[in-house]
Amino acid sequence: MEHYELYMDEELVQMYRDGDERAVEAIMERYKNFVSKKAHAMYIVGGEMEDLIQEGMIGLYKAVTAYDKTKAASFMTFASLCINGQIMNAVKCQEKQPVKPLCITG
């Protein structure tokens, strides 16, 4: 994937849509630290940080598939919104789960 860093995000999105599977891998690699930082800014009670990061990566993939370059937003802006939304949905769903009581034995 050495030559993919030469492309802008929007170009990589188009390359993926044109059938280049490695282009989406390049985007995922490019944004993994960005996703991780966003995930670390949020918290799920009883959850795992890796779960939030995974949700963020799902949001990033959704951004790749839904991005419309004719709109005013850059891919990075759109991706940030998708990542945040996906992570926030995961947090909200987790918060709705009933709290399980601790079992005390002895």
Side-chain angles (χ1 to χ4, degrees):
M1 285 203 299
E2 60 278 343
H3 75 281
Y4 286 95
E5 73 267 359
L6 301 175
Y7 293 100
M8 294 175 48
D9 297 339
E10 292 81 3
E11 292 172 313
L12 289 171
V13 167
Q14 190 58 51
M15 290 165 64
Y16 172 66
R17 290 180 180 170
D18 290 341
D20 186 347
E21 292 289 327
R22 293 187 326 186
V24 77
E25 293 171 19
I27 291 172
M28 299 300 233
E29 182 66 27
R30 182 177 290 177
Y31 278 84
K32 73 179 181 180
N33 289 333
F34 182 73
V35 170
S36 182
K37 287 177 186 174
K38 288 191 169 289
H40 278 84
M42 300 189 195
Y43 177 69
I44 294 179
V45 175
E48 296 289 330
M49 184 54 58
E50 192 58 39
D51 293 338
L52 285 181
I53 293 170
Q54 186 63 34
E55 288 294 331
M57 295 304 281
I58 291 168
L60 175 58
Y61 183 77
K62 287 180 178 181
V64 170
T65 60
Y67 179 68
D68 183 351
K69 66 183 177 184
T70 64
K71 304 291 183 193
S74 68
F75 176 77
M76 181 176 221
T77 299
F78 184 69
S80 181
L81 291 171
C82 292
I83 293 163
N84 282 343
Q86 189 73 30
I87 293 172
M88 287 303 298
N89 282 340
V91 170
K92 287 177 186 174
C93 287
Q94 182 64 30
E95 288 174 350
K96 291 179 182 178
Q97 297 295 324
V99 176
K100 296 178 183 173
L102 295 175
C103 293
I104 301 174
T105 58

